[in-house]
Amino acid sequence: MDVEEIAEELYELKPSDFVAARDRYVAEARRAKDPGVAKAIAALRRPALAVWAANLLARQRPEETGQFLTLGETLREAHRTLDADQLRAASRQQHQLVTSPRSPVRPPCWPGRRGSR
């Protein structure tokens, strides 16, 4: 059993499904008489919902993830230097990125998204 592959699979699951799936892998490793692998898998912790969502975004939409990371660096720098012009520009960019129809962080119920009311 490859712990990294199992971890990859587990962290792609919804957090609500994580513990049961992890426990199945732990049991499987114990049946295979591999206590080191069982211990390593058992040590994996269920991610918080925000962490899971961020990981999912990073895996499925790396380009958008890069945009968010760059924006975060720009916002931090603008706050650190108290650069009002840079802060205004970064805030506009943040608004455009989050409200874009293709934004992965827009809730599905926002106007313009499928499933909106």
Side-chain angles (χ1 to χ4, degrees):
M1 296 180 83
D2 184 339
V3 175
E4 284 188 33
E5 285 180 16
I6 292 168
E8 187 79 21
E9 179 185 325
L10 289 172
Y11 285 117
E12 287 179 356
L13 297 174
K14 291 185 283 185
S16 59
D17 298 334
F18 181 92
V19 173
R22 180 199 58 204
D23 291 350
R24 281 192 299 275
Y25 276 116
V26 169
E28 187 179 326
R30 287 182 179 145
R31 281 192 303 275
K33 307 272 192 256
D34 200 339
V37 169
K39 185 177 180 179
I41 295 170
L44 299 173
R45 296 291 166 239
R46 180 181 61 132
L49 186 58
V51 173
W52 170 78
N55 283 336
L56 192 62
L57 175 64
R59 290 169 193 215
Q60 294 182 355
R61 299 180 69 176
E63 184 178 314
E64 285 96 341
T65 302
Q67 292 173 342
F68 279 106
L69 291 172
T70 300
L71 175 61
E73 292 169 9
T74 302
L75 284 166
R76 274 190 300 281
E77 179 65 16
H79 280 281
R80 189 183 66 74
T81 61
L82 301 176
D83 184 331
D85 291 335
Q86 186 182 25
L87 188 56
R88 275 191 291 277
S91 293
R92 276 192 301 276
Q93 183 184 0
Q94 178 183 20
H95 179 74
Q96 290 170 346
L97 189 58
V98 172
T99 60
S100 162
R102 294 196 63 233
S103 176
V105 297
R106 267 181 92 183
C109 59
W110 282 14
R113 287 290 292 253
R114 212 180 298 167
S116 64
R117 295 173 190 190

